[in-house]
Amino acid sequence: MAASTKSLSSLLAQASLDDHDEVLKAANAAIKKSKADVDAHHAKAIALLHLDRYEDALDVFEHTAALQEKAPFEHAYALYKTGNAAKAVEIAEAAGPGADRGMKHMLAQAAYRSENFAHAARVYKELANQPVDTEEYDIRINSGAVDAQLEWTGQGELAQKKKPTREDLDVFETAFNAACASIARGELAQGEVCLKRAKDLCNALSDLSEAEKHAELLPITVQQVYVLTQLGKIDAAEELATTTPFAEIKELSTRYIAQVNSIAASKEHSNSYLSHRLFHSSPRPPVTDQHFSFQSNILRQDEYVISLLSQKVSGVASSTEKVIAASPSPSLSPAVNMAAVLNAAAHARNTETEKAALKEIVPLLEKRPTDVGLILTITHLYVITNNYAAATHLLETFFRRLEQSGSAPDLDVRFAPGLIASIVSLYAQQGRPGAAKSELAKAAEYWRKPHKSKTEAPSKALMVAAGTALLDTHSPENIKVAGEIFKSLYDQDNEDRAAIAGLVATYSITDPSGIPDDLLSYLPEAARLIQDVDAVALEGAGVPIGKLTTTDLAAEARKRSIAPTRPVHSRTKRLRKARMPKEYVEGKKVDPERWLPMRDRSYYRPKGRKGKKKMEGLTQGGVVADEKGSTPAQEKKIVKDQGKGKKKGKGGKW
């Protein structure tokens, strides 16, 4: 073993850094002589990693337990490159806080790939606080990528940057990451500007060949197609998609997204059956180049939607039911809830109206009473049909069911920020601010209490909304709780403006003189607040000058009491649509005599001789002239005529 180690060491000393094939041959020869030679296995694993034979390198580690202890960094790297980032994170974390910078970089990369972006952000922040000149550029790029992913996954409050800075637009990689972060925040116009800047910077590079520039520009173009589509610039998106050779993209995950987006941006693919065929003809990425979960969810959603448009309703219903059944209910998983929404759409079978869809979907609640996606779908349909009471009742019933369960996962769903926002919005629509404040207070109380089984950290937006609602109650107890909420947010981030404003508002109610100096520094100066105030205009409007005594105040009160007051207009009562006349026109003056019979209205004028004569006979309070020349026969005829039509029916009573 000593001889083999000596010969291997001498060979490694003579070999060049790029001669990894020779190193591999020497390592294999040493291993044949002694299978327990850890140094030989180590040299073999490193040579395989340099040759990009990651599966073979991992196989070396898996069959050599001693090598795993000796070379944890190489082991974690092999796992990372073969698609097992979660296992790589475990190995890198096992090194502890005393790990070298290489292991910390490995931990950050593996955490990023395993979608633990918050952990990756912490590691990169730690590396940035201990700067090394040769790593500053890479750390800045990777930190920008982590910020973009935090925005995409709804954890934007953990991002280090909320807006692109000047230094971000100096290099095309950081400009591209800034564009992705802006797009994730919904700032599409800003993202479009950053993407154009990234393209210009890439084209201006002199140390890259034309082929390398082309490879770097393709992902930027893919993102541009998406932004143009979202902005409604379909023609520009289609032109860019048709003129870009997406088939030349090396990363299959990026190429797959590019081809899917080109289908969405193309007017030629309006035929849903043709779109279905093109969608499924796109190349699927390998295990080592998989999409992130939020990308996979959207792509799976696109697949289901195209299938529904292609009348593959039964297939979508069957596929989504399998996804729902495989997960415990209730669930906050985006993939599961998305499947529930599309399952409801499949059961609706492309009905034309929302009410017809409700008839098909509501019976599903009997089978899946705790399906979050299904409940939100029905709630949305109720809102569209203006049935806010039914939507509110549905959510309240669901919440009571989860509260009665009492299990920690059910309570996490009960107080999920998205569901709380839904019920609060419904309360606001119905004019129930008290119920909304109560709901926010209960959610804040739940997330503030220590609970080992809670699945996620409290949402910052939820806590800010709850603290604001508690301040509005003006209750001493609630104001104290609000102060605690804003204090905890301030402790997490002392630059958070919402936390600072909430703390200042709390102190202004409870102890105005006790506001800390570090909070007072954030308050705007009084001179800036009153710089737009016109003192002369205020005085002319009746503002008293100087200090008023009690006598002056009494005199002012007498002046105001005898001053002419403006007439108070009563608020017009709004009638319901059912009580309005059939020919009612908004804005037209209503006839004040509309309740009187026509003959009693002041503007009634009978037409014709008979009408005028009849009107004279109906005059109330006037003199009735006797008709001259009437004979008894005529009077008898009149009496007879008046009796016409008054026939007695069978069995009737007089």
Side-chain angles (χ1 to χ4, degrees):
M1 178 177 174
S4 64
T5 304
K6 182 178 179 181
S7 62
L8 178 61
S9 301
S10 61
L11 181 60
L12 292 177
Q14 297 173 4
S16 65
L17 292 176
D18 296 329
D19 197 5
H20 303 296
D21 287 318
E22 293 297 328
V23 174
L24 181 61
K25 290 179 182 178
N28 285 330
I31 291 172
K32 283 183 179 180
K33 295 179 181 179
S34 174
K35 293 183 179 181
D37 190 346
V38 179
D39 291 332
H41 284 289
H42 191 192
K44 178 180 180 179
I46 292 176
L48 290 170
L49 290 175
H50 281 294
L51 293 171
D52 294 342
R53 294 171 58 180
Y54 304 113
E55 294 286 350
D56 295 335
L58 181 61
D59 187 64
V60 174
F61 281 102
E62 295 298 330
H63 289 84
T64 312
L67 182 60
Q68 297 179 14
E69 297 180 2
K70 180 179 181 179
F73 174 79
E74 290 85 350
H75 185 202
Y77 185 73
L79 289 166
Y80 169 74
K81 297 298 289 186
T82 52
N84 194 350
K87 182 66 175 177
V89 169
E90 293 180 8
I91 295 175
E93 283 184 329
D100 58 8
R101 291 185 70 86
M103 185 61 84
K104 290 182 179 179
H105 277 284
M106 184 70 257
L107 175 59
Q109 289 280 16
Y112 177 86
R113 187 63 255 185
S114 61
E115 302 189 38
N116 192 347
F117 304 118
H119 193 181
R122 289 193 297 269
V123 177
Y124 279 125
K125 189 174 182 179
E126 180 182 348
L127 290 170
N129 292 333
Q130 302 170 354
V132 175
D133 293 338
T134 56
E135 298 179 1
E136 181 181 358
Y137 178 68
D138 292 335
I139 290 176
R140 190 152 58 91
I141 293 175
N142 292 342
S143 296
V146 171
D147 284 350
Q149 297 292 356
L150 287 170
E151 297 285 357
W152 280 115
T153 54
Q155 305 174 76
E157 66 272 8
L158 301 178
Q160 296 184 31
K161 293 183 179 179
K162 298 299 293 183
K163 288 185 178 181
T165 60
R166 183 180 296 274
E167 65 176 5
D168 291 332
L169 303 180
D170 291 339
V171 187
F172 87 91
E173 292 98 338
T174 55
F176 179 69
N177 288 335
C180 293
S182 298
I183 295 166
R185 289 191 296 268
E187 301 168 359
L188 297 177
Q190 179 67 45
E192 186 179 14
V193 172
C194 292
L195 288 173
K196 291 179 180 178
R197 177 64 176 168
K199 272 193 168 182
D200 295 339
L201 291 170
C202 184
N203 285 319
L205 289 175
S206 58
D207 55 344
L208 291 182
S209 64
E210 292 300 322
E212 290 173 334
K213 289 181 183 179
H214 182 68
E216 296 288 354
L217 288 172
L218 285 174
I220 302 176
T221 306
V222 173
Q223 199 73 300
Q224 274 187 311
V225 173
Y226 171 79
V227 172
L228 291 172
T229 306
Q230 293 297 311
L231 289 173
K233 302 177 181 179
I234 304 299
D235 294 334
E238 183 178 12
E239 181 181 358
L240 186 61
T242 53
T243 56
T244 304
F246 290 141
E248 298 178 8
I249 299 176
K250 294 181 180 180
E251 297 83 3
L252 290 182
S253 59
T254 306
R255 190 194 305 177
Y256 184 78
I257 292 175
Q259 294 191 5
V260 171
N261 286 351
S262 65
I263 296 173
S266 176
K267 296 178 181 177
E268 296 180 0
H269 299 150
S270 57
N271 187 318
S272 57
Y273 298 98
L274 177 60
S275 298
H276 186 274
R277 184 175 67 83
L278 292 173
F279 185 92
H280 288 85
S281 64
S282 302
R284 299 282 178 169
V287 178
T288 56
D289 188 25
Q290 286 295 305
H291 298 108
F292 291 108
S293 60
F294 71 91
Q295 293 175 314
S296 300
N297 291 339
I298 296 174
L299 290 170
R300 195 177 299 111
Q301 178 180 346
D302 291 340
E303 181 180 0
Y304 287 144
V305 170
I306 290 177
S307 298
L308 286 175
L309 294 174
S310 304
Q311 305 302 321
K312 299 181 181 296
V313 178
S314 300
V316 172
S318 176
S319 300
T320 51
E321 282 175 4
K322 291 179 181 178
V323 175
I324 297 168
S327 174
S329 182
S331 173
L332 294 176
S333 168
V336 176
N337 291 326
M338 178 272 298
V341 173
L342 290 168
N343 180 268
H347 281 86
R349 297 183 176 274
N350 298 326
T351 52
E352 296 181 358
T353 63
E354 291 81 6
K355 291 184 178 180
L358 280 170
K359 291 182 179 178
E360 300 292 336
I361 298 173
V362 169
L364 295 176
L365 279 175
E366 297 180 2
K367 297 180 180 178
R368 310 200 303 267
T370 57
D371 189 334
V372 176
L374 177 61
I375 289 172
L376 289 178
T377 302
I378 298 174
T379 301
H380 182 64
L381 290 174
Y382 279 139
V383 170
I384 292 176
T385 55
N386 295 323
N387 195 348
Y388 295 99
T392 306
H393 177 71
L394 177 63
L395 280 181
E396 289 176 340
T397 304
F398 176 55
F399 288 168
R400 283 195 296 270
R401 190 180 301 117
L402 296 180
E403 289 173 358
Q404 292 171 359
S405 169
S407 67
D410 288 358
L411 291 177
D412 285 348
V413 175
R414 161 65 179 89
F415 295 105
L419 292 174
I420 296 298
S422 300
I423 193 69
V424 168
S425 299
L426 289 172
Y427 285 145
Q429 182 67 34
Q430 295 175 292
R432 300 169 60 186
K437 293 176 182 178
S438 174
E439 193 64 40
L440 287 169
K442 287 193 293 185
E445 181 183 2
Y446 175 77
W447 288 113
R448 286 177 63 241
K449 287 182 178 179
H451 203 288
K452 291 191 295 185
S453 58
K454 281 201 281 277
T455 57
E456 60 181 40
S459 166
K460 175 188 170 184
L462 173 62
M463 301 307 287
V464 170
T468 305
L470 290 171
L471 282 177
D472 290 340
T473 61
H474 302 290
S475 168
E477 184 179 352
N478 290 343
I479 292 173
K480 180 182 177 182
V481 175
E484 294 174 357
I485 291 174
F486 288 119
K487 183 65 170 63
S488 63
L489 294 175
Y490 180 76
D491 293 339
Q492 296 173 13
D493 183 8
N494 58 5
E495 297 291 332
D496 184 5
R497 294 190 175 186
I500 294 169
L503 271 179
V504 171
T506 305
Y507 275 113
S508 64
I509 297 173
T510 58
D511 185 12
S513 60
I515 302 179
D517 294 336
D518 54 347
L519 296 180
L520 287 174
S521 61
Y522 288 95
L523 295 178
E525 297 179 359
R528 198 176 79 185
L529 294 176
I530 63 173
Q531 62 183 356
D532 296 331
V533 177
D534 189 348
V536 177
L538 287 175
E539 292 177 3
V543 176
I545 302 175
K547 185 177 180 181
L548 294 178
T549 63
T550 308
T551 308
D552 296 330
L553 291 173
E556 288 293 329
R558 285 195 300 272
K559 289 179 182 178
R560 287 194 295 269
S561 64
I562 62 175
T565 57
R566 295 181 181 178
V568 180
H569 298 283
S570 60
R571 186 177 178 182
T572 56
K573 186 177 180 181
R574 187 175 180 181
L575 296 175
R576 293 197 302 269
K577 194 172 182 180
R579 296 182 62 84
M580 291 181 180
K582 293 181 180 180
E583 300 177 355
Y584 172 74
V585 178
E586 188 174 357
K588 185 179 178 181
K589 188 176 180 181
V590 182
D591 183 10
E593 299 181 6
R594 63 188 182 278
W595 308 112
L596 297 175
M598 182 59 73
R599 65 175 181 269
D600 294 339
R601 301 184 188 181
S602 60
Y603 52 82
Y604 175 66
R605 298 292 182 270
K607 296 181 180 180
R609 186 175 62 185
K610 292 184 178 180
K612 291 180 180 180
K613 192 171 183 180
K614 185 178 181 181
M615 186 62 184
E616 292 175 357
L618 295 174
T619 302
Q620 296 182 7
V623 180
V624 181
D626 295 335
E627 294 196 16
K628 298 180 180 179
S630 60
T631 61
Q634 290 175 337
E635 293 177 0
K636 185 177 181 182
K637 183 178 180 182
I638 292 172
V639 173
K640 184 179 181 181
D641 290 338
Q642 290 175 350
K644 282 186 178 179
K646 293 184 180 179
K647 296 181 179 179
K648 180 181 178 183
K650 280 189 177 181
K653 295 183 179 180
W654 286 100

